[in-house]
Amino acid sequence: MDEDIILDFQHITKTFPGVVALNDVSFQVRLGEIHGLCGENGAGKSTLMKILSGVYPHGEYEGKIFYSGIELKLEGSAIHQAGEEGIAIVYQELTLVPGMTVGENIFLGKEPVERGSINWDRVYSDTQKILDEFHLDIHPQDVVKNLGVGKMQMTEIAKALSENAKVLILDEPTSALSEAEVFQLMEILRTLKQHGVTCIYITHKIEEFFLIADSVTVLRDGKVVTTQQAKDLDSQKLVKYMVGREMKERFPKGDRIPGEVIFEVTDLRAEDPNKGREVLKGVSFNLRKGEILGIAGLMGSGRTELVMTLFGEYGKITQGTIKLEGQKVNIKNGNDAMKKGISLVPEDRKRHGLVLSQSILKNISLPNLERFASFLRINTDAELVESLKYAKELAIKTPNLFVTAESLSGGNQQKVVIAKWLMSGPKILIMDDPTRGVDVGAKFEIYKLMNKLAEKGISIIMISSDLQEVLGMSDRVMVMCHGRSNGTLSIADATQERIMALATGIA
Ligand SMILES: Nc1ncnc2c1ncn2[C@@H]1O[C@H](COP(=O)(O)OP(=O)(O)OP(=O)(O)O)[C@@H](O)[C@H]1O
Ligand SMILES: [Mg+2]
């Protein structure tokens, strides 16, 4: 046995009804390395990691995994067993209990018991130690649901670290993190590497592999395409391995001239629904017909709160006006917004966008059923044809539309949410981080679709933390800072530096 190899996947095959998720996958992971795992949405990355962590125990897949030279056979309550073996996983979807504190979550199921009762002092002091060790700015007593997505993700990672992992699996850990938090995570991973921890790292942000990975394995359609040293790769090569063809440009060219102003927001102020604290402190901007307006800003600058307010699903508006096609409007809730022609692809799709237990078809068509109804009956053919059209357009990877949304890969779930809102035929489409967790090929498809919609006269508001994306897709960029609109730049004047200056409040 090669002492250097900690994990050896041999001929792993895993099927679901109608889907071969993994097809004869073999590759090796070296002891102490950071091993990147990449591939398009639905390529099989998460499924492979669920096998490694025991979600799909021994017997539910074909092939063998050798772990430090010994065959890994996880069974029974496999997840705890994987933990005992020193394999910890941070899932793509957050798994924390929202109503519990950070400490309670980290020690859930392994609380220190003394004389028959849980020693809470130790829970919290040990939590503090873990948080300190990795310089995480989180309080052990914070209730998870009050943390931002970024901090929740950090808590999830701290939880995995508390188990003294030898192998740490991170499935898209940075999709919800701000740039500063990503930087911090990279530091944590470097520290762990010094301690000899092996890490398997999944992301759709290709640049991250070159920052952090020693080697990279590419999966396509459930098969291994290649395993290589990161230093022998560049992003163009990597993308080619992933999608199986050359991709010359990241952003498709649009061909549009925005028309008259159709939406106008003036000095909008709004309060947090729970705490009654002023979160939007004066936002003004306008939107033209057939325009793509990018909204940039740091995490916490109020971007999501702004669009949720415009959609009628946030706190109380205390001041300001919203005008749609010249008329003052008062948007009561999401349904009302949709009736008025405003749709929103929300940031947290799991909570606001999808019913996981329902079929893909129902998820796409549910809010649009009125369109298929005549004389109280649903025209199911039209419903299916129309839904299929969008599923195809977005290249949703699934055997058919009758399987549950739950069975889709993370990125494909996102596409379902986008399809649903596109079908409602809005005048204004608000997209909050529309390409988060979406692979490069599908991103390009979403961009093309955005261009097409804008050319048809639909106005789009797009929030994005990816400045390249903002610059590549927008006609104008509005920048937010501390709950205010701090300036709008035409794309000809917009540069990364100018946006950052407005976002940080320097300009
Ligand atoms: N529980 C399940 N039931 C049925 N099919 C499933 C299930 N889990 C995954 N699949 C299918 O297996 C394939 C691989 O999915 P997986 O989640 O591993 O992809 P992924 O590479 O992690 O994608 P993403 O980047 O979108 O997260 C997909 O076609 C998916 O629909
Ligand atoms: Mg996945």
Side-chain angles (χ1 to χ4, degrees), residues 42 45-47 92 171-172 202 204 409-411:
K45 305 177 296 291
S46 296
T47 302
Q92 186 168 6
D171 194 349
E172 288 190 51
I202 301 176
H204 285 292
S409 76

Side-chain angles (χ1 to χ4, degrees), residues 14 16-17 19-22 39-48 50 56 92-93 171-172 202 204 219 397-399 403-404 406-413 437-439:
K14 168 81 187 158
F16 296 106
V19 183
V20 183
L22 295 167
E40 293 186 287
N41 296 132
K45 305 177 296 291
S46 296
T47 302
L48 186 64
K50 284 179 185 164
Y56 304 126
Q92 186 168 6
E93 281 84 29
D171 194 349
E172 288 190 51
I202 301 176
H204 285 292
L219 291 179
K397 196 180 171 206
T398 174
V403 302
T404 57
E406 202 165 23
S407 71
L408 290 180
S409 76
N412 281 298
Q413 289 181 354
V438 172
D439 68 55

Side-chain angles (χ1 to χ4, degrees), residues 262-263 311 324-325 331 334-344 421 424-430 458-459:
I262 73 154
F263 190 65
F311 196 60
L324 178 63
E325 296 175 317
I331 296 157
N335 266 333
D336 189 32
M338 271 181 73
K339 284 206 189 97
K340 294 188 162 94
I342 303 175
S343 284
L344 172 76
W421 294 115
S424 69
K427 288 179 200 155
I428 296 173
L429 179 64
I430 304 173
I458 295 172
S459 308

Side-chain angles (χ1 to χ4, degrees), residues 83 104 160 162 182 187 205 256 313 333 363-364 376 387 439 442:
E104 285 169 331
S162 73
V182 171
E187 281 304 305
K205 299 181 184 168
R256 59 176 177 267
E313 292 284 340
N333 51 44
N363 267 292
I364 297 180
L376 297 177
S387 304
D439 68 55

Side-chain angles (χ1 to χ4, degrees), residues 237-378:
K237 275 191 204 159
L238 197 55
V239 168
K240 195 174 165 191
Y241 283 126
M242 280 173 67
V243 302
R245 64 190 153 84
E246 203 92 44
M247 274 194 65
K248 293 219 169 52
E249 46 184 0
R250 262 187 80 188
F251 303 102
K253 296 223 169 12
D255 178 23
R256 59 176 177 267
I257 302 165
E260 73 282 3
V261 170
I262 73 154
F263 190 65
E264 204 171 358
V265 172
T266 314
D267 195 26
L268 188 70
R269 289 166 186 264
E271 284 175 354
D272 180 309
N274 305 319
K275 296 179 199 142
R277 186 170 47 98
E278 186 170 68
V279 174
L280 297 179
K281 301 171 183 167
V283 177
S284 303
F285 70 93
N286 63 35
L287 177 69
R288 294 174 179 279
K289 194 171 159 62
E291 177 180 47
I292 300 180
L293 177 74
I295 300 189
L298 302 178
M299 287 257 163
S301 61
R303 295 171 306 170
T304 293
E305 290 79 358
L306 169 64
V307 294
M308 293 299 279
T309 302
L310 297 178
F311 196 60
E313 292 284 340
Y314 193 62
K316 196 169 98 208
I317 294 179
T318 52
Q319 197 181 306
T321 53
I322 303 173
K323 276 188 188 167
L324 178 63
E325 296 175 317
Q327 302 289 318
K328 236 175 110 168
V329 285
N330 172 20
I331 296 157
K332 293 193 232 28
N333 51 44
N335 266 333
D336 189 32
M338 271 181 73
K339 284 206 189 97
K340 294 188 162 94
I342 303 175
S343 284
L344 172 76
V345 177
E347 180 185 33
D348 186 349
R349 282 142 199 131
K350 214 167 170 191
R351 197 142 38 120
H352 297 120
L354 274 183
V355 188
L356 286 172
S357 58
Q358 287 262 20
S359 70
I360 301 174
L361 177 66
K362 284 297 164 220
N363 267 292
I364 297 180
S365 66
L366 217 55
N368 301 304
L369 279 186
E370 271 175 36
R371 293 183 41 188
F372 304 112
S374 56
F375 304 109
L376 297 177
R377 295 215 6 220
I378 305 289

Side-chain angles (χ1 to χ4, degrees), residues 374-484:
S374 56
F375 304 109
L376 297 177
R377 295 215 6 220
I378 305 289
N379 180 345
T380 45
D381 287 349
E383 182 191 3
L384 186 59
V385 167
E386 187 86 339
S387 304
L388 259 178
K389 190 180 103 192
Y390 286 103
K392 280 218 180 91
E393 207 154 349
L394 289 166
I396 296 174
K397 196 180 171 206
T398 174
N400 58 58
L401 297 189
F402 304 109
V403 302
T404 57
E406 202 165 23
S407 71
L408 290 180
S409 76
N412 281 298
Q413 289 181 354
Q414 311 242 31
K415 294 188 203 169
V416 171
V417 183
I418 295 178
K420 147 174 149 180
W421 294 115
L422 283 180
M423 204 184 209
S424 69
K427 288 179 200 155
I428 296 173
L429 179 64
I430 304 173
M431 306 177 102
D432 193 349
D433 221 348
T435 62
R436 178 162 110 200
V438 172
D439 68 55
V440 275
K443 268 186 188 152
F444 198 76
E445 294 307 314
I446 292 175
Y447 298 147
K448 276 206 299 209
L449 203 70
M450 288 170 70
N451 280 342
K452 205 156 84 184
L453 293 170
E455 276 155 36
K456 277 196 216 158
I458 295 172
S459 308
I460 298 177
I461 296 176
M462 176 188 70
I463 295 184
S464 173
S465 302
D466 179 351
L467 280 182
Q468 296 296 336
E469 180 172 273
V470 170
L471 291 168
M473 289 306 297
S474 315
D475 296 299
R476 286 184 302 152
V477 184
M478 191 268 268
V479 188
M480 290 195 62
C481 175
H482 300 311
R484 289 186 184 83

